[in-house]
Amino acid sequence: MQAKYFTILVAILTLIYSCVSKEADKSSNIKQLKEEWTLYSKSVGDTFVISIQLPENYNSDSNKKYPTVYLLDANFYFPMMASVFREYEKAGLLPPLILVGIGYKSFELMDSLRQR
């Protein structure tokens, strides 16, 4: 039953992502505040890739607090959700937020290690 809901969620997210214009993607990538690095976890004995997208106005007010969304399986979801969140922020459908993606070293490892 959970596989059915997961499939529906992926289909919805794919549909939303496909609606974002390519021109909007190009302009948002220029302004996009994104960082990426690796982090070793002693608990599981593995290295994870951490990706962060900051709101467009992040540097304009150093005292402002932003909600943070943590996204697992970021190898697959982060590029898509970063674009969707950025466009929704621009349209006023989401407040400015910090998106943190937690992924594996590679896409292939994501699928094999996520159920450990």
Side-chain angles (χ1 to χ4, degrees), residues 6-107:
F6 179 77
T7 303
I8 291 170
L9 176 64
V10 169
I12 290 171
L13 292 175
T14 303
L15 178 63
I16 291 171
Y17 181 70
S18 67
C19 293
V20 176
S21 80
K22 296 301 177 193
E23 286 303 313
D25 281 350
K26 289 178 186 174
S27 65
S28 68
N29 284 340
I30 294 168
K31 297 178 183 178
Q32 186 172 356
L33 298 169
K34 181 183 170 191
E35 295 181 28
E36 188 173 282
W37 66 89
T38 59
L39 178 69
Y40 180 77
S41 169
K42 290 180 185 177
S43 300
V44 295
D46 202 357
T47 300
F48 295 90
V49 176
I50 309 298
S51 303
I52 297 179
Q53 175 176 272
L54 302 172
E56 286 188 342
N57 298 344
Y58 185 79
N59 293 322
S60 64
D61 184 0
S62 62
N63 294 323
K64 185 166 182 173
K65 306 257 187 239
Y66 295 95
T68 303
V69 174
Y70 295 93
L71 183 66
L72 302 179
D73 294 338
N75 300 69
F76 182 75
Y77 294 113
F78 190 85
M80 174 176 38
M81 295 310 295
S83 295
V84 170
F85 281 30
R86 176 69 73 220
E87 293 305 314
Y88 275 35
E89 178 186 336
K90 286 180 180 179
L93 298 171
L94 278 177
L97 54 84
I98 298 170
L99 179 62
V100 178
I102 304 167
Y104 296 93
K105 289 183 248 182
S106 70
F107 187 79

